[in-house]
Amino acid sequence: MNKKNIACNIYTVLVFIFLYLPILVLIMYSFNSTDSTSVLKGFSFQWYKELFTDSATLNALKNTLVLAILSSVIATLVGTAAAYGISKMQNKYIKNATMSVTQIPMINPEIVTGISMMLLFVFVGTIVGTSSSLGFGTVLIAHITFNLPYVILLVLPKFKEMDRNLPKAAQDLGCTPLQSFFKVELPAIMPGIIAGFIMAFTLSLDDFVISYFTTGSGFETLPIRIYSMTKKRVTPDMYALSTLIFVSILVLLLISNLMSDKNRKEMSKKAKTIAKVSIGSVFGIIGIVTIIVLAMSAGTKTVKLNVYNWGEYISDGGQGSYNTNKEFELYYENLHYEKTGEKIDVQVNYTTFASNEDLYAKLKSGAGGYDIIVPSDYMLEKLHKEGLIQSLGKVDTITEAIPNLQYLNSQFKDMFVYPNENGELELYGAMYTYGVVGIVYNTEKISPEDLEKIENGEMGWEILYDQEYMERYKGQILQFNNPRDAFGTAMYHLGFNVNTASTDQWQRAYELLQKQKPYVQSYVMDEIYNKMESGEAALAAYYAGDCLAMAENNENLGFFYPKNSQGVFETNIFADAMCIPTSSQNKELALAYINFMLSEEAAVANAEYIYYSSPYTHVKDNLDYQIYMGYCDYVYVLDENDEYVLDENGDPIIELDENGNPIIEYFEDGDYSVIYYEEFENSLGSMFNSYAFKDLDTTVGASITTQDLNGYWEGLKVDSGSFDGTIYIICGIILVGIIGFAVYYIVITKKRRKLYWNNSPSAPQEKAEEKDDSMSETVMIAAVKAEKKKKD
């Protein structure tokens, strides 16, 4: 083997490693026994089981396939017709202009295309008067739009390659123009049509950006669903789905190779029959299942509820947990049947957002169409001010519409209550959960002396902002990726009120964040899950409930609430509430959903799943919840060796009192949940007044607005300070190189065209006549010279 072959083989191996190693890692994690996407703990098939029981994921997959097939078929038909028309154009200027316009969707950045199409659809929807202008139809139009140029680009060259005299010859032999197209032109351009269809199908299947901006609340594709998961973490059932898709594509490629012309000749008749029967059976089963599903749903009225919530902020049935949305669907279907005798099919369309600002942008654009949203305190205040949410009902009669609000802790009774134009108090948000911001840390990455301070309750926000700590943990600090929380941590460290009206204090907080920036590994929201669980970072400020969830997958993670120099807890406390947007068209169903979410069964399941505190007394008094959160535990029967006495099923026997009731032991200290319960529960009202965020635009006497805060944030996130002169020199060299190459390419192209034009058999007749004239002149001169020579 020569050196050239060795180099080629090494190159091929490296290419395959870079291409397929990530896929192999993905496949490996699809068999992980835990829900961690960064820590392997054992082999299991549970995520494949979860996948086939996850109706939302399967529905997203179905939507993706239907969208890809429809958009690629329509784009192929329209694109082929457009290519045919362009090929028949005689005026080269009109033809070039048409081709330039056609290629704009290919050249235009996807985000520009997505936003512009969203604005167009919202504008048209506003004129028409629809409640929600975005949905399956708008996504389909968008996909057809960006698929068309690729189809035209692949089909048009086939028209150019085809002999233009063939259609005319077919018509001379008696074919009509239509018959000529189908019998002569269509077979000639068929390879381009097939290539265009495959390209369009692939692009549609893979698209995220344009789909994200043009889809509504009732339609979700698989890329959008996976993106919504990355706001927290992609669960391994997505890895299982990706593995199945990869294996399916691999099998199809193998079958395609086997069915190729060369292999088909070598295959036996029996093998050909088996292959055809196998492929036919698969498509037959898909068709039968589709017909059965359609038949079962025919005649049943479908009622949809569009919910927009934080990522992983509800018990969703994963790993055997309570499936809140599914249970609500069954609950309301039965409730409606009991009231009216009518059978309906309730469908909860559940999508997620990463921050309050994302939620606001979606609602403000008019592209939402949601029935339930879950903003935080300051954002709810802003949405109410701008008229984007509607009243749930008057305070005096609200329990008639939402009976389970009677269990709301008295400390929260006045929250999210605003007077109407008649001075009557109305409720605009039903509290969902509340929580506190603290600092999560990795015990293996924290120095022993700092760890001792944390455990003794002597550490505050200085661990994120003091120079000695930032130097010690440089590149291992994570910061919030939203302005309110990030500025909040800085202000608590400086001892400022987070709702201060002082521009000077906001400027000082901004300077502190700038000082911290070189030491920050990354600005994150829910990406923190993977980073902290995998040990990539040492410190991060984040929400308490999420930190407890992270600790389940990494036992080295700890959490504490920062204190100020006086030893007083000083941190943000927030509350999230369920609201109904003004654009909602089904308030009755939305109110029923809110009431169901506040029922004891659902509220306990959600509180246990997301680890945030519930403001409802029937949740806090629930014994299962108290045991789950570590407030207490059963007293078990022990033998003489202080070991559990087991029953016939191998479970510890619970000790009973004289009345036959289980004996419960409440913990006094040593547990995070108890500390939290004792130190925070009894002072929630004062904490909300002191530490909760308020809408800056509605703060009395405020000299800084949300727009000012966003300006500070943009200034912080721009990396101009990290650039030196070298980067600009390199960019300038690259730019000059690109311009030089473009000029060179244009010049060479013109020369080649001129050369081709002069030597082409189809050059204009005047060129040939000019050539003939010059040849005649040469012949005449030669004849004169010959005559003269003869005379001499």
Side-chain angles (χ1 to χ4, degrees):
M1 184 179 292
N2 57 41
K3 292 183 178 180
K4 185 176 181 181
N5 289 337
I6 293 174
C8 289
N9 290 337
I10 293 174
Y11 175 77
T12 304
V13 170
L14 290 175
V15 168
F16 273 89
I17 288 174
F18 280 107
L19 285 176
Y20 292 106
L21 185 59
I23 297 175
L24 291 176
V25 173
L26 179 146
I27 294 173
M28 180 174 63
Y29 273 95
S30 73
F31 296 103
N32 195 7
S33 60
T34 70
D35 63 348
S36 175
T37 55
S38 56
V39 180
L40 281 172
K41 289 191 176 181
F43 182 88
S44 174
F45 286 101
Q46 66 167 318
W47 299 112
Y48 289 87
K49 180 181 177 182
E50 291 278 346
L51 172 63
F52 289 104
T53 58
D54 186 354
S55 58
T57 298
L58 295 178
N59 186 59
L61 176 61
K62 180 203 71 176
N63 291 342
T64 303
L65 292 174
V66 170
L67 178 65
I69 292 171
L70 280 178
S71 63
S72 56
V73 168
I74 296 173
T76 302
L77 293 174
V78 177
T80 302
Y84 178 82
I86 293 172
S87 69
K88 300 297 183 183
M89 288 182 178
Q90 299 298 323
N91 189 310
K92 68 175 184 179
Y93 298 106
I94 296 177
K95 187 175 183 178
N96 291 335
T98 304
M99 286 299 300
S100 299
V101 172
T102 301
Q103 292 173 7
I104 288 177
M106 296 173 58
I107 303 170
N108 207 31
E110 282 193 336
I111 191 169
V112 175
T113 302
I115 293 175
S116 61
M117 296 195 79
M118 179 191 73
L119 294 175
L120 172 65
F121 293 140
V122 171
F123 175 73
V124 173
T126 303
I127 295 176
V128 176
T130 58
S131 59
S132 178
S133 54
L134 301 183
F136 173 73
T138 56
V139 184
L140 179 61
I141 293 172
H143 278 231
I144 293 171
T145 301
F146 70 71
N147 281 336
L148 270 174
Y150 294 94
V151 176
I152 295 172
L153 192 66
L154 290 168
V155 175
L156 191 58
K158 297 301 177 182
F159 280 108
K160 293 181 178 179
E161 293 173 5
M162 183 183 63
D163 188 344
R164 293 179 177 273
N165 294 318
L166 288 177
K168 296 178 181 178
Q171 293 179 35
D172 289 341
L173 294 173
C175 286
T176 63
L178 189 62
Q179 290 175 328
S180 172
F181 174 78
F182 282 103
K183 291 185 176 182
V184 177
E185 294 180 272
L186 186 60
I189 65 171
M190 186 55 69
I193 294 175
I194 294 174
F197 172 80
I198 294 173
M199 176 65 77
F201 181 82
T202 305
L203 291 170
S204 179
L205 201 68
D206 185 57
D207 179 72
F208 163 73
V209 176
I210 295 176
S211 299
Y212 180 78
F213 285 102
T214 57
T215 189
S217 55
F219 186 80
E220 184 180 43
T221 63
L222 194 59
I224 293 176
R225 176 159 178 79
I226 293 174
Y227 170 74
S228 69
M229 287 184 172
T230 62
K231 298 169 187 175
K232 283 280 186 179
R233 50 182 168 180
V234 180
T235 54
D237 60 338
M238 288 295 102
Y239 295 171
L241 176 61
S242 301
T243 300
L244 293 176
I245 292 174
F246 173 74
V247 172
S248 300
I249 292 173
L250 183 62
V251 170
L252 288 174
L253 286 173
L254 292 174
I255 293 174
S256 176
N257 288 332
L258 289 173
M259 297 299 292
S260 64
D261 293 337
K262 181 179 178 181
N263 291 327
R264 195 162 53 236
K265 294 176 182 178
E266 299 175 358
M267 288 175 65
S268 65
K269 185 176 181 181
K270 184 177 181 180
K272 292 180 182 178
T273 304
I274 293 173
K276 291 178 180 179
V277 170
S278 300
I279 297 173
S281 299
V282 171
F283 284 102
I285 292 171
I286 294 173
I288 292 171
V289 171
T290 304
I291 292 171
I292 291 173
V293 171
L294 292 175
M296 290 176 64
S297 61
T300 304
K301 179 182 177 182
T302 300
V303 180
K304 295 183 179 181
L305 182 76
N306 302 317
V307 180
Y308 202 32
N309 198 359
W310 297 81
E312 283 194 24
Y313 211 38
I314 193 173
S315 181
D316 59 1
Q319 295 181 275
S321 62
Y322 184 83
N323 192 329
T324 309
N325 288 330
K326 193 68 177 177
E327 293 296 330
F328 170 74
E329 291 172 353
L330 298 174
Y331 159 80
Y332 195 80
E333 287 170 6
N334 294 331
L335 181 65
H336 185 81
Y337 182 75
E338 290 174 2
K339 287 183 177 180
T340 64
E342 178 189 19
K343 287 187 177 181
I344 61 171
D345 179 25
V346 178
Q347 179 181 334
V348 177
N349 296 316
Y350 187 86
T351 51
T352 61
F353 55 87
S355 68
N356 283 294
E357 287 67 30
D358 288 351
L359 165 65
Y360 176 77
K362 196 76 169 181
L363 289 183
K364 194 68 175 177
S365 70
Y370 299 105
D371 298 300
I372 296 287
I373 58 173
V374 190
S376 298
D377 32 46
Y378 74 95
M379 184 54 65
L380 190 152
E381 187 179 3
K382 185 179 185 68
L383 295 175
H384 166 256
K385 175 191 173 186
E386 298 185 14
L388 295 174
I389 55 175
Q390 57 180 296
S391 167
L392 304 182
K394 295 179 181 178
V395 172
D396 296 338
T397 59
I398 190 62
T399 53
E400 296 177 8
I402 310 176
N404 286 320
L405 273 176
Q406 63 181 303
Y407 300 108
L408 182 63
N409 189 316
S410 59
Q411 296 186 76
F412 304 104
K413 293 288 186 182
D414 297 329
M415 292 193 67
F416 313 129
V417 173
Y418 304 101
N420 60 19
E421 52 190 21
N422 297 322
E424 300 171 309
L425 297 178
E426 294 186 329
L427 182 68
Y428 281 81
M431 275 194 70
Y432 182 46
T433 63
Y434 65 93
V436 183
V437 170
I439 297 178
V440 59
Y441 59 94
N442 190 318
T443 56
E444 290 190 335
K445 292 180 173 290
I446 300 296
S447 67
E449 58 270 23
D450 293 342
L451 194 59
E452 184 179 356
K453 286 184 180 181
I454 291 172
E455 292 174 349
N456 293 335
E458 300 171 355
M459 186 67 77
W461 291 107
E462 64 269 13
I463 196 170
L464 295 180
Y465 289 106
D466 282 2
Q467 189 66 37
E468 61 172 308
Y469 294 113
M470 290 193 297
E471 291 284 353
R472 190 175 301 161
Y473 303 112
K474 183 176 182 179
Q476 298 187 70
I477 299 173
L478 302 179
Q479 178 59 277
F480 278 110
N481 194 23
N482 74 72
R484 286 313 299 268
D485 283 313
F487 272 84
T489 62
M491 286 183 161
Y492 288 130
H493 176 62
L494 293 170
F496 300 155
N497 187 312
V498 287
N499 302 303
T500 179
S502 170
T503 305
D504 177 65
Q505 291 183 345
W506 282 99
Q507 180 64 31
R508 287 182 60 187
Y510 171 69
E511 292 170 356
L512 183 61
L513 286 169
Q514 277 190 319
K515 178 183 175 184
Q516 183 200 47
K517 183 177 179 179
Y519 302 93
V520 172
Q521 179 191 111
S522 180
Y523 291 87
V524 299
M525 282 304 293
D526 297 325
E527 307 93 315
I528 189 176
Y529 268 75
N530 286 331
K531 286 185 174 292
M532 292 305 299
E533 287 178 8
S534 63
E536 290 183 43
L539 289 164
Y542 214 65
Y543 314 116
D546 292 315
C547 295
L548 289 175
M550 293 177 216
E552 281 194 344
N553 292 313
N554 188 338
E555 59 186 13
N556 296 317
L557 296 182
F559 180 81
F560 72 96
Y561 293 114
K563 294 182 179 181
N564 60 21
S565 56
Q566 288 76 40
V568 178
F569 290 108
E570 190 169 31
T571 185
N572 174 244
I573 181 169
F574 61 89
D576 296 335
M578 292 175 284
C579 306
I580 303 178
T582 51
S583 59
S584 172
Q585 298 297 301
N586 201 338
K587 185 176 181 179
E588 179 188 353
L589 184 61
L591 289 172
Y593 183 83
I594 292 174
N595 188 60
F596 179 82
M597 291 285 284
L598 303 184
S599 65
E600 184 172 356
E601 184 180 19
V604 167
N606 289 330
E608 290 180 353
Y609 186 85
I610 64 179
Y611 287 103
Y612 284 96
S613 293
S614 173
Y616 296 93
T617 57
H618 64 329
V619 175
K620 289 294 177 67
D621 295 337
N622 184 280
L623 183 60
D624 291 335
Y625 175 76
Q626 293 178 2
I627 292 173
Y628 184 86
M629 294 300 295
Y631 300 156
C632 62
D633 202 354
Y634 292 107
V635 176
Y636 296 98
V637 178
L638 304 177
D639 60 18
E640 63 275 6
N641 297 320
D642 289 336
E643 295 180 354
Y644 291 122
V645 177
L646 306 179
D647 59 18
E648 62 275 7
N649 297 322
D651 298 322
I653 297 177
I654 299 172
E655 192 172 330
L656 306 178
D657 61 17
E658 63 275 8
N659 298 320
N661 298 319
I663 298 177
I664 305 298
E665 177 186 11
Y666 286 85
F667 304 123
E668 295 182 0
D669 53 26
D671 185 86
Y672 154 75
S673 299
V674 177
I675 296 173
Y676 174 78
Y677 187 85
E678 290 178 350
E679 302 220 24
F680 286 98
E681 292 291 320
N682 298 324
S683 59
L684 290 172
S686 61
M687 286 193 68
F688 270 109
N689 291 332
S690 302
Y691 301 126
F693 296 139
K694 298 184 185 303
D695 178 29
L696 295 176
D697 296 331
T698 59
T699 303
V700 177
S703 58
I704 184 168
T705 64
T706 301
Q707 185 176 357
D708 297 327
L709 174 59
N710 291 336
Y712 277 125
W713 184 245
E714 290 171 7
L716 176 70
K717 295 299 291 292
V718 172
D719 289 329
S720 58
S722 62
F723 288 167
D724 56 18
T726 306
I727 192 69
Y728 296 109
I729 294 173
I730 294 173
C731 289
I733 293 172
I734 293 173
L735 184 61
V736 170
I738 292 173
I739 295 173
F741 176 79
V743 172
Y744 169 79
Y745 179 80
I746 292 171
V747 171
I748 293 298
T749 302
K750 285 186 175 181
K751 287 183 177 179
R752 287 176 179 173
R753 284 180 179 173
K754 186 176 181 180
L755 181 63
Y756 171 79
W757 186 256
N758 290 335
N759 295 303
S760 173
S762 58
Q765 187 65 32
E766 56 267 19
K767 289 285 186 181
E769 291 175 357
E770 183 180 329
K771 184 177 180 181
D772 291 342
D773 291 342
S774 62
M775 290 179 65
S776 300
E777 185 179 349
T778 303
V779 171
M780 289 177 65
I781 294 172
V784 170
K785 288 182 178 179
E787 186 67 26
K788 184 178 179 182
K789 192 178 289 185
K790 187 186 293 185
K791 288 181 180 179
D792 294 340

